[in-house]
Amino acid sequence: MDTRPAHDGHPYEEDCSPGRGTLPARVWYAASDAARLSLNGTWAFRLSDTAEGTGPAFTEDTADLSEWARVRVPGHWVLQGHGAPAYTNIVYPIPVDPPRVPTENPTGDHRLDFDLPGDWPPEGETLLRFEGVDSCARVWLNGHELGWFTGSRLPHEFAVGHLLRPRGNVLAVRVHQWSAGSYLEDQDMWWLPGIFRDVTLLHRPEQAPTDFFVHAGYDHLTGRGTLRVACDVAGRVLVPELGLDVRVGEETSAPVEPWSAESPRLYHGELITAGERVPLRIGFRTVRVANGVFTANGRRVLFRGVNRHEFHPETGRALDLETMRRDVLLMKRHNINAVRTSHYPPHPAFLDLCDELGLWVIDEADLETHGFCYFPDWRGNPVADERWTPALIDRARRMVERDKNHPSVVIWSLGNECGAGQGLSAMAAWIRERDPSRPLHYENDYSYRDSDFYSRMYAPHDEVAAIGRGEERPLEDPEADARRRSLPLLLVEYAHAMGNGPGGLSEYQRLFETYERCQGGFVWEWIDHGLPKRTADGRPYYAYGGDFGEELHDGNFVCDGLLFPDRTPSPGLIEYKKVIEPVRITGDSATGTITISNGHDFSALDHLSFTWAFEVEGEETATGTLNVPSLDPGTSAVVPLPDPPHAHPGEAVWTIRAGLRADTPWAPRGHLVAWAQLPARPRPLPERPAVLLPPLAEAGNIHLGPAVFHATTGELRSLNGLDLRQGPRLDVWRAPTDNDLGGPWLGDARLATRWRKLGLHRLQHRVDTISTADRALTVRTRVAPAATDLGLYADYHWSADQERLLLTVTVTPDGEWPLPLPRLGLLLGLPASCDRATWYGGGPGEAYPDTRAASRLGRYSMNVDDMQTPYVRPQENGARPDVRWAELRAAGGPGLRVTAGDAPFWFTARRWSDVQLDAARHTTDLEPGDTVWVHLDRSVHGIGTESCGPGPLPPYRLTVAPTTFSLVLTAPGAS
């Protein structure tokens, strides 16, 4: 059987065109009274190494399938035991010779035998619809070829009514992993072939609509909505709630409540034709770019967004409805109001959820040609080659026609990282003609000739500020420069959420709130794309690029999300929720008032209730409610606090919370939306002992109060009978974060590379002097790596009374340090049994200098294991900031308590050393040892977002400078 019809001398999978035999693109809707039959389920499957396939023909009724495997549809065969996934970020994993593809082209033959339901209507037409197949599919039904198509994340339909039979239908689909379409789909994600979205039979009765377009605008000046439903057959549109009954094509208006992401008001209607009744969910809203600002319903919108790939660790891009709903609920519950469907249209049911629950959507075409950026002037780029223009327009058309009736879709995006070319302009022209009601977005053509936004990726803070002021560097072309200056700024990607981070979110958000032109951004990205694997002994972990034997890959760059692969929120998402909260609570407890500012775009604050708590040393002593007036968006009110309750002495804070007043479709009553803490009474410093004890030398040790030191090294050995595995000593190293490692394009400028080159991971400690004068023990040391003359002098000054050990550390730089330090503090080791941590300070999760907005002062307790953040690639994690005291104890046994002296400290505890953490590639590489390693840091370096973006801002860089800090150590006995 000839399975590869030629075109211009090449087989169909190497054809630049979008396909053959498919029907024109049209709208998607979830249900109607017309019959439909899902063909999802278990299909027969055969994998071949080449596009010709292997074995006998499989399209005929009599084909022998006894030796075939079985796969789930929707699904990817590489996630079901056939072949392996592969990950690249930019580069193509095949030779770049468009439109040609390798002879070695994994090809999956899929076959389903099915019967029609007994009541399947005999009249009318039936369509066979594929929602998504990666990357090229050729289709037969009952031995008749229907055609072929590319455009993996887009729907394709065939007319099949004349071929169907009541029983014994044979649907055969040949899917090629590589095709000409692959050159248009170089998105940053796993390469996962297969039929990964729904396959459905749709009955189309006579006089049923082929397509319809719901035009529902809103006039914010009159409060009236206008409705017109264009349809290719005669019919009527009913909206009972509005008392509307109009002919299709007829425009009408009525007073309505508008749709917005904050108030996603939908009116239920119905399109009725002679052949079909189609439910409608109508959201009245008008969006536009006017005077350099994107508005919805007449108001500026501030996007608090996220980029979302479709991903599930078990099923890849084959997502079920529950997973999609979980994504939307998680976004709403973390104050996210917008999503960019990077870099392809999502499953259409996801957009239904955005309509229902309320998210602004940038719907992006299934297009990226990023791999051509490595060639001079993007040589060979399909968007600059007219041969590909029909396929590009087809991708734009299939996105717009499918999704045009969703009120949540407010912006069309031409694609991602394709450089520039006339093909993009052709797409833009088609979209503007078809749907002038929505603006267009494209980032990678810096003339912005086809974009209604000045779109940037990973712009540093100072550039964002300059653009906000209208002071960006001008373009050479005055006309192009004038046009760009008229556009709103959108950070379509920023704050790369890879590993520990991203840092600097608060500073970005303040810029968005300061400059009207800066309309927010979309964090990259929503979820880590880790795939589950197991070690040889059965321990589970998440795999990334290179873990499946790929010759070419981009490592863990695929794990750069705000969610871990199992959809557990990362510290980055907790931080983002706090940074973008739509209510700002500020104040000064000295005045007895707070200021509450409404940062919503549309909603007053009636849906929130406000409470206060007075907390002393991390314990609530009194609570109550606040009477906050109904504030319109953009307004503020000063609200009095109650008189401070009489309470125990100690540090006190006010904690103010804003929670949902009632249940909503996306969160229950009481769900926390915003919060703030205000100091009420400062922290008292520890009292110094009235009587200091003298050090005593004895049998190679030095005894000082409750402590024993090594007489030669000056190292603390035990405290009140608690033996230390390692006494406190200066430490400056951390296992580099993904942001420390930086993007590979930074080369030797990457901070972790410079740290390692300097040798900060292999410090040597030299003891210079040990003195026991003036009722104290002073140990003078120099800490430095080999092969450099740079160092740090560290003086440890110990004093004690009967129960407490006081330590003052003085650090003096030696030499001109050319770079910041990872951390500066003490590292000590405790017995592994001391694994129960309690602390009074920031929490409950980790934080770092530029990721600490979500850290709340309180008293927390957890096992050391629970203090770890399980990043897919292990790295520095788990620091708690602003710690006043911390205690590590064995269950029912002794422990160590550390109290801050002059200033709070950063507290980290883990069961493995930084050397082990640095060496680990996966969480299963971390083996607990016989020591709990404890960091007590005076300062730590910020996080930034330099895995793809700027590093930490200057205030968060740990510059080498003279430093002094103090701690108090005690060893409470068994409890």
Side-chain angles (χ1 to χ4, degrees):
M1 180 181 66
D2 177 14
T3 63
R4 302 165 71 209
H7 178 82
D8 293 338
H10 297 306
Y12 67 92
E13 69 270 16
E14 295 183 342
D15 193 333
C16 295
S17 72
R20 177 177 56 80
T22 59
L23 296 171
R26 68 186 187 96
V27 71
W28 179 89
Y29 46 97
S32 75
D33 65 346
R36 60 179 60 205
L37 175 66
S38 172
L39 301 181
N40 296 347
T42 301
W43 291 40
F45 177 77
R46 177 180 65 190
L47 181 63
S48 305
D49 294 332
T50 67
E52 291 94 336
T54 303
F58 69 109
T59 63
E60 303 298 330
D61 295 6
T62 57
D64 181 8
L65 308 182
S66 60
E67 301 298 321
W68 284 40
R70 298 291 185 269
V71 295
R72 296 184 308 276
V73 171
H76 304 279
W77 70 68
V78 294
L79 299 184
Q80 300 184 60
H82 307 281
Y87 166 64
T88 61
N89 170 26
I90 298 175
V91 299
Y92 290 96
I94 59 175
V96 180
D97 183 22
R100 305 299 304 279
V101 297
T103 299
E104 294 182 4
N105 187 356
T107 294
D109 290 335
H110 299 69
R111 176 164 154 159
L112 177 71
D113 294 6
F114 67 94
D115 300 330
L116 288 179
D119 58 353
W120 193 262
E123 75 286 345
E125 180 59 277
T126 296
L127 306 183
L128 172 63
R129 183 179 177 97
F130 295 87
E131 296 295 345
V133 183
D134 190 332
S135 73
C136 175
R138 188 180 176 197
V139 185
W140 295 263
L141 180 64
N142 293 331
H144 297 270
E145 182 178 354
L146 303 179
W148 63 273
F149 60 85
T150 59
S152 297
R153 267 66 67 176
L154 295 164
H156 295 83
E157 291 180 329
F158 298 96
V160 298
H162 61 293
L163 298 175
L164 286 170
R165 48 203 186 201
R167 302 184 62 80
N169 292 284
V170 175
L171 176 58
V173 185
R174 173 159 286 178
V175 180
H176 307 291
Q177 175 159 13
W178 307 120
S179 69
S182 301
Y183 288 103
L184 304 180
E185 297 172 4
D186 188 28
Q187 292 98 332
D188 173 12
M189 58 188 182
W190 293 99
W191 297 91
L192 300 175
I195 305 172
F196 70 97
R197 286 186 184 161
D198 307 293
V199 184
T200 313
L201 275 183
L202 302 171
H203 180 245
R204 308 306 302 136
E206 294 179 4
Q207 294 302 305
T210 302
D211 192 30
F212 59 90
F213 196 161
V214 177
H215 302 271
Y218 178 74
D219 187 334
H220 65 281
L221 298 178
T222 65
R224 296 182 70 85
T226 59
L227 177 65
R228 179 175 64 88
V229 178
C231 185
D232 61 344
V233 297
R236 303 198 68 80
V237 176
L238 275 62
V239 187
E241 191 175 355
L242 297 175
L244 297 180
D245 181 352
V246 296
R247 294 188 303 272
V248 298
E250 179 182 343
E251 183 170 291
T252 186
S253 71
V256 299
E257 299 172 40
W259 187 97
S260 72
E262 293 173 9
S263 299
R265 181 66 160 93
L266 293 173
Y267 289 87
H268 294 273
E270 196 171 25
L271 170 62
I272 302 174
T273 72
E276 187 178 21
R277 301 174 72 102
V278 181
L280 303 177
R281 298 199 306 175
I282 303 167
F284 292 91
R285 58 108 187 95
T286 295
V287 295
R288 59 168 54 98
V289 171
N291 301 316
V293 177
F294 174 82
T295 64
N297 304 329
R299 296 188 64 89
R300 171 185 181 261
V301 171
L302 180 57
F303 291 113
R304 301 169 167 92
V306 66
N307 286 274
R308 174 187 177 267
H309 266 300
E310 291 186 306
F311 181 76
H312 188 282
E314 301 289 343
T315 60
R317 283 186 288 281
L319 267 59
D320 62 357
L321 184 61
E322 181 54 38
T323 298
M324 292 183 250
R325 179 175 289 275
R326 186 176 178 187
D327 277 348
V328 176
L329 292 178
L330 280 168
M331 291 178 190
K332 294 287 291 186
R333 291 172 183 174
H334 288 86
N335 292 330
I336 290 166
N337 72 354
V339 60
R340 175 191 180 211
T341 68
S342 51
H343 301 292
Y344 43 83
H347 191 291
F350 177 79
L351 299 179
D352 271 353
L353 292 168
C354 295
D355 295 340
E356 172 192 335
L357 298 171
L359 287 172
W360 307 111
V361 175
I362 298 180
D363 200 355
E364 190 151 87
D366 188 9
L367 178 61
E368 181 169 338
T369 63
H370 204 177
F372 288 91
C373 73
Y374 288 112
F375 310 125
D377 298 321
W378 287 67
R379 183 180 63 234
N381 187 4
V383 305
D385 182 340
E386 63 182 11
R387 294 179 301 163
W388 298 83
T389 300
L392 300 178
I393 294 176
D394 182 75
R395 288 171 184 247
R397 179 186 291 115
R398 291 187 182 278
M399 171 183 69
V400 171
E401 299 294 13
R402 192 196 75 170
D403 298 341
K404 58 183 178 281
N405 292 337
H406 290 283
S408 59
V409 175
V410 292
I411 299 169
W412 301 117
S413 178
L414 300 180
N416 184 67
E417 292 175 321
C418 295
Q422 68 270 22
L424 294 167
S425 297
M427 295 172 70
W430 185 91
I431 294 175
R432 290 189 192 281
E433 181 177 0
R434 178 60 172 146
D435 180 25
S437 71
R438 294 175 173 98
L440 290 188
H441 164 268
Y442 183 66
E443 181 270 339
N444 210 217
D445 179 353
Y446 303 122
S447 72
Y448 298 101
R449 59 185 174 182
D450 298 315
S451 178
D452 296 312
F453 295 88
Y454 182 5
S455 181
R456 290 283 287 113
M457 291 186 180
Y458 308 106
H461 298 80
D462 56 358
E463 180 184 347
V464 174
I467 296 171
R469 297 190 300 267
E471 298 173 358
E472 65 266 34
R473 182 178 300 177
L475 297 173
E476 293 183 2
D477 181 347
E479 184 176 345
D481 185 64
R483 169 173 166 71
R484 192 180 71 175
R485 290 180 186 277
S486 71
L487 303 178
L489 175 68
L490 197 62
L491 292 191
V492 73
E493 291 181 24
Y494 83 113
H496 197 247
M498 185 176 179
N500 188 333
L505 288 170
S506 295
E507 289 74 17
Y508 276 118
Q509 191 67 20
R510 297 297 88 78
L511 292 171
F512 302 156
E513 295 170 357
T514 298
Y515 298 107
E516 184 181 54
R517 186 187 185 190
C518 301
Q519 295 202 239
F522 295 77
V523 168
W524 185 268
E525 64 158 303
W526 179 235
I527 187 170
D528 286 344
H529 299 205
L531 294 173
K533 287 193 75 175
R534 290 184 178 272
T535 61
D537 58 356
R539 291 175 297 148
Y541 66 95
Y542 286 111
Y544 47 79
D547 287 334
F548 295 93
E550 308 103 300
E551 293 180 346
L552 190 67
H553 64 85
D554 286 293
N556 69 311
F557 207 75
V558 75
C559 294
D560 48 11
L562 294 169
L563 297 180
F564 294 121
D566 64 357
R567 280 181 163 74
T568 300
S570 75
L573 182 57
I574 305 303
E575 176 80 356
Y576 193 40
K577 175 185 178 179
K578 173 60 180 167
V579 166
I580 62 176
E581 59 189 13
V583 179
R584 292 275 177 252
I585 305 169
T586 58
D588 182 355
S589 58
T591 66
T593 62
I594 59 172
T595 299
I596 295 178
S597 302
N598 184 0
H600 289 87
D601 295 324
F602 298 91
S603 300
L605 295 188
D606 307 79
H607 65 295
L608 299 177
S609 60
F610 291 79
T611 62
W612 61 266
F614 193 79
E615 299 170 10
V616 179
E617 298 292 323
E619 300 287 346
E620 280 191 2
T621 62
T623 62
T625 60
L626 288 173
N627 184 18
V628 177
S630 177
L631 293 173
D632 289 335
T635 64
S636 302
V638 176
V639 177
L641 288 169
D643 293 333
H646 296 291
H648 302 293
E651 181 179 16
V653 297
W654 295 96
T655 299
I656 314 299
R657 295 179 175 88
L660 291 177
R661 189 179 296 275
D663 290 348
T664 71
W666 52 269
R669 176 178 179 270
H671 167 77
L672 185 65
V673 173
W675 63 272
Q677 282 188 320
L678 308 173
R681 192 165 58 216
R683 177 180 77 97
L685 294 178
E687 294 183 6
R688 296 190 64 82
V691 178
L692 294 177
L693 300 177
L696 300 173
E698 180 180 300
N701 293 322
I702 298 174
H703 295 259
L704 180 62
V708 179
F709 295 83
H710 193 285
T712 303
T713 65
E715 181 181 4
L716 177 64
R717 284 183 159 183
S718 68
L719 181 63
N720 196 24
L722 174 68
D723 293 331
L724 277 66
R725 301 287 186 184
Q726 176 185 293
R729 65 179 188 178
L730 191 71
D731 188 56
V732 302
W733 178 245
R734 73 184 185 197
T737 67
D738 289 316
N739 287 301
D740 294 336
L741 292 168
W745 51 88
L746 296 173
D748 289 343
R750 293 181 286 182
L751 192 54
T753 300
R754 298 172 65 201
W755 283 343
R756 205 178 296 276
K757 183 177 181 181
L758 188 58
L760 297 188
H761 60 304
R762 47 177 174 80
L763 294 180
Q764 298 183 27
H765 297 254
R766 185 187 75 206
V767 178
D768 287 343
T769 63
I770 297 177
S771 169
T772 57
D774 300 324
R775 293 181 175 262
L777 169 65
T778 301
V779 182
R780 314 201 77 172
T781 70
R782 186 177 188 272
V783 182
T788 178
D789 61 354
L790 297 176
L792 298 167
Y793 289 105
D795 292 354
Y796 307 89
H797 184 85
W798 300 91
S799 58
D801 58 17
Q802 292 288 354
E803 297 181 350
R804 296 181 296 170
L805 189 61
L806 284 69
L807 170 62
T808 298
V809 182
T810 302
V811 181
T812 306
D814 184 15
E816 297 295 327
W817 284 74
L819 74 175
L821 296 175
R823 62 172 7 116
L824 183 66
L826 301 177
L827 173 65
L828 58 91
L830 298 178
S833 58
C834 294
D835 61 357
R836 297 179 180 271
T838 304
W839 73 95
Y840 170 45
E846 73 178 26
Y848 289 81
D850 53 349
T851 66
R852 62 189 295 173
S855 182
R856 186 160 57 239
L857 183 64
R859 186 176 300 192
Y860 303 99
S861 183
M862 64 183 67
N863 191 281
V864 165
D865 295 333
D866 296 326
M867 295 181 69
Q868 313 310 305
T869 304
Y871 293 114
V872 174
R873 187 195 70 81
Q875 56 198 271
E876 165 64 32
N877 73 91
R880 268 60 178 185
D882 302 319
V883 174
R884 279 67 165 157
W885 58 260
E887 189 171 284
L888 286 156
R889 299 180 67 110
L896 175 71
R897 183 183 178 99
V898 181
T899 303
D902 53 340
F905 57 90
W906 300 79
F907 168 53
T908 310
R910 56 176 66 102
R911 292 185 182 274
W912 36 78
S913 69
D914 288 281
V915 172
Q916 292 172 296
L917 187 59
D918 188 9
R921 292 187 68 248
H922 300 99
T923 53
T924 49
D925 296 330
L926 295 169
E927 295 285 352
D930 61 358
T931 303
V932 171
W933 294 99
V934 182
H935 286 281
L936 308 170
D937 291 315
R938 177 64 181 88
S939 305
V940 295
H941 186 68
I943 296 297
T945 182
E946 206 165 20
S947 56
C948 192
L953 289 165
Y956 308 122
R957 297 171 188 165
L958 179 46
T959 304
V960 181
T963 304
T964 299
F965 58 97
S966 59
L967 302 168
V968 179
L969 282 67
T970 55
S975 59

